[in-house]
C-alpha cells in the first residue's frame, strides 16, 4: 500500500477539490432550474385547464355522463356580439376616472401626511379629522353624497367631476397613511445632516425627505390604483357616469341579458387589471434595480 | 486671542436625565480639541448641542460672534440658530449622505439650497473639495456604490463646501471597518494642517495624541480633566481618566494581537 502521490498526476489536490465543488454547484443549479421549470409548466397547464373548464361552463352544451344530465350555461352570443362594443366604450372612462382620482388622492395624501406630521396643532387636527371622517364612512355613501346630497344644496357637478372628487378624496385618506409611513421610514440621519447644513424644515421636506419617501410609496400606491380601477364601478350606481358597469347594466336590463352584460364587464375589468398589474410589476422591478445602486 | 467658540453654563436634560452639567469652556481659532470618554458620558450630546441638533436647555453658546441664549423660541431665535449652524460643519458617525443624490449632488446641495449659490459656482467649489478628499473620480456615484471610508470623505467634503468656521466630528471613524479608518483620518489631518478649528468626539487615541491641542475627558456630563495630550496620556491626574485610558490601552493591545 503506497501513500505517495501518483507521479503521473501532477494536479495539486486543492485544484481537484475546487473542481469537484464547482461540479457540485453546477449540478445543484441544474436541479434547481429543473424544479422551477417543472413548476412553471405545471402552472401554465393548470391555467389552460381552468380556462377550458370556464369555457365549458358557458358553452351551452348538454352532456350526459352515466345517465346524469349536465346542463352548462347557455349564453346569448348574439347579444354579446351586439353590445360588447357599447360596453367597451366605457373602458376609457374607467381608466380616465381612475387616473384623475388617484392623482387627486396622492396630492391630498401628501398634504394629509404633512399635516399628520406637522407641529402646527391646526394642521395636525385638520388632517386627522379628514382621515378619520373619510375612513369612518362608506365609500358608496360618500359617492352618493357628491351626486345626490350636494345638488340639494345647489352644487351640481358633471358626473366625471363628482366621481373624481368622491374617489380622490376617499383614496386620499387611505393614501395619507401610506405617504406618512413613507416619510417616517426615511432615516433621521438624513434630516440631521440637512439641519447641520442649515436647511430649513421646508427645504428638508422638499429636497431630502419627500423624494426618498415617495419612492418608497410607489409600490403601495400602485396597489391602490389597481383597487381604484374597480372601485370606479361604484360611481355607476348614480347613473351619471357612463363607465363600464353602468353601460353593462343599461343594456343588460333593457334586454333581460344581465348575465351576459355583467360577464362582459367582468372580462374588461379583469383585462385592464392584468395590464396595469404588469405595468406595476415593471415599475417596481425598475425601482428595486435602482435601489441596488441607491440604497 | 478671542475664542471662536464660547460656551457658558450649558445644561442639557433628556427628560429627567441630566446629561450635561453646567459646562463652560472656550476654544481658540485653529485649535483642535478632542473630546473623549466612555459611552453615555455626554460627549456626543455636547457636540450636537454646539450646533443645536440637540437644543441645550440652559446657558449660552457663541460661535464666531453668533451668541445664542438657550431655551429661546420664535422666528428671530430660529434665525440665530440658523446663522450658528452656518458657522459649523458637521460629520456624523454614520455618514448620513443623502441616499438619493450622487456624491457631487450631496456636496453642492447646501451651497445651492441654503446659500443660494449659482449651480456652476457650487459645482466648481464642490469639485475642489471632492478633490481635497481624493474622490473627484467618484463625483457621479451614489453613496451606495461607495465604501464607508469614501462615504465619510464625501461627508467631510459636503461639510467643507459650506465653508464653515468650525468643524464638528461625531465619532467619524467608529462605523468604519478598521482598514478604512486611515483614509478618513488622513483627510482630517489635512484639515488640521490647513488650520481648521476642529472639535472631535473620538475613540481614535492615536489621532487625539498626534493632532489635538487639548483633550477633554468627560464623565457623567462633566469635564473630569482637560489638558494637553502629553499630560493626559502620560500623566492623567484623575482616577477616572487613568482607568479609562488603561482600559483603552489593554483593549488596543488585545487588538494588536488578534
Amino acid at each position: 500500500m503506497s501513500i505517495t502521490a501518483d507521479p503521473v498526476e501532477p494536479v495539486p489536490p486543492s485544484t481537484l477539490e475546487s473542481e469537484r465543488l464547482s461540479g457540485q454547484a453546477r449540478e445543484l443549479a441544474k436541479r434547481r432550474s429543473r424544479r422551477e421549470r417543472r413548476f412553471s409548466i405545471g402552472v401554465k397547464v393548470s391555467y389552460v385547464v381552468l380556462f377550458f373548464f370556464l369555457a365549458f361552463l358557458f358553452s351551452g352544451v348538454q352532456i350526459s355522463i352515466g345517465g346524469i344530465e349536465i346542463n352548462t350555461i347557455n349564453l346569448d352570443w348574439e347579444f354579446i356580439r351586439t353590445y360588447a362594443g357599447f360596453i367597451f366604450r366605457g373602458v376609457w372612462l374607467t381608466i380616465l376616472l381612475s387616473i384623475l382620482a388617484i392623482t387627486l388622492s396622492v396630492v391630498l395624501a401628501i398634504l394629509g401626511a404633512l399635516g399628520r406630521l406637522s407641529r402646527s396643532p391646526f394642521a395636525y387636527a385638520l388632517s386627522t379629522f379628514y382621515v378619520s371622517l373619510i375612513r369612518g364612512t362608506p365609500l358608496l355613501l360618500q359617492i352618493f353624497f357628491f351626486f345626490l346630497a350636494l345638488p340639494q344644496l345647489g352644487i351640481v357637478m358633471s358626473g366625471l367631476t363628482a366621481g373624481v372628487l368622491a374617489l380622490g378624496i376617499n383614496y386620499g385618506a387611505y393614501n395619507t397613511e401610506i405617504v406618512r409611513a413613507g416619510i417616517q421610514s426615511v432615516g433621521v440621519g438624513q434630516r440631521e445632516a440637512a439641519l447641520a447644513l442649515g436647511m430649513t424644515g421646508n427645504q428638508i421636506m422638499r429636497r431630502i425627505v419627500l423624494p426618498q419617501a415617495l419612492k418608497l410609496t410607489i409600490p403601495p400606491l400602485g396597489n391602490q390604483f389597481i383597487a381604484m380601477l374597480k372601485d370606479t364601478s361604484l360611481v355607476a350606481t348614480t347613473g351619471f357616469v357612463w363607465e363600464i358597469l353602468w353601460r353593462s347594466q343599461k343594456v343588460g336590463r333593457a334586454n333581460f341579458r344581465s348575465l351576459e352584460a355583467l360577464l362582459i364587464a367582468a372580462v374588461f375589468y379583469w383585462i385592464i387589471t392584468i395590464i396595469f398589474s404588469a405595468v406595476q410589476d415593471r415599475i417596481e422591478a425598475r425601482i428595486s434595480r435602482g435601489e441596488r445602486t441607491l440604497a | 486671542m478671542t475664542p471662536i467658540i464660547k460656551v457658558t453654563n450649558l445644561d442639557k436634560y433628556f427628560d429627567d436625565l441630566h446629561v450635561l452639567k453646567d459646562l463652560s469652556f472656550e476654544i481658540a481659532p485653529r485649535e483642535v480639541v478632542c473630546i473623549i470618554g466612555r459611552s453615555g458620558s455626554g460627549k456626543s450630546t455636547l457636540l450636537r448641542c454646539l450646533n443645536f441638533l440637540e437644543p441645550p436647555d440652559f446657558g449660552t453658546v457663541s460661535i464666531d460672534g453668533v451668541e445664542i441664549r438657550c431655551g429661546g423660541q420664535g422666528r428671530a431665535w430660529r434665525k440665530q440658530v440658523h446663522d450658528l449652524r452656518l458657522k459649523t460643519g458637521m460629520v456624523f458617525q454614520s455618514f448620513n449622505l443623502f441616499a438619493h443624490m450622487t456624491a457631487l449632488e450631496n456636496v453642492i446641495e447646501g451651497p445651492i439650497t441654503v446659500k443660494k449659490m449659482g449651480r456652476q459656482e457650487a459645482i466648481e467649489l464642490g469639485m475642489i473639495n471632492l478633490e481635497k478628499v481624493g474622490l473627484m473620480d467618484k463625483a457621479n456615484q451614489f453613496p451606495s456604490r461607495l465604501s464607508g471610508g469614501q462615504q465619510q470623505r464625501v461627508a467631510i467634503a459636503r461639510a467643507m463646501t459650506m465653508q464653515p468656521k468650525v468643524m464638528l466630528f461625531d465619532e467619524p471613524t467608529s462605523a468604519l471597518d478598521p482598514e478604512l479608518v486611515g483614509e478618513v483620518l488622513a483627510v482630517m489631518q489635512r484639515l488640521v494642517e490647513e488650520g481648521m478649528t476642529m472639535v472631535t468626539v473620538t475613540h481614535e487615541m492615536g489621532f487625539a495624541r498626534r493632532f489635538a491641542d487639548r483633550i477633554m475627558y468627560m464623565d457623567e456630563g462633566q469635564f473630569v480633566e482637560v489638558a494637553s495630550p502629553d499630560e493626559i496620556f502620560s500623566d492623567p491626574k484623575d482616577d477616572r481618566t487613568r482607568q479609562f485610558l488603561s482600559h483603552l490601552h489593554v483593549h488596543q493591545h488585545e487588538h494588536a494581537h488578534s
Side-chain angles (χ1 to χ4, degrees), chain A residues 69 116 154 177:
Chain A
E69 286 274 302
R116 286 301 286 265
E177 293 301 297

Side-chain angles (χ1 to χ4, degrees), chain B residues 4 9 21 23 27 50 58 63 77 80 86-87 94 110 118 123 140 150 158 168 199 202 204-206 227 239 245:
Chain B
I4 192 163
N9 305 110
K21 295 170 185 162
L23 300 180
I27 291 173
L50 291 181
F58 302 98
I63 297 180
W77 189 81
Q80 273 192 313
L86 289 186
K87 303 285 187 185
S94 46
I123 289 176
N140 295 317
Q150 289 170 335
R158 173 173 70 178
L168 310 175
V199 185
T202 187
E204 286 296 328
M205 293 306 142
D239 264 355
L245 289 173

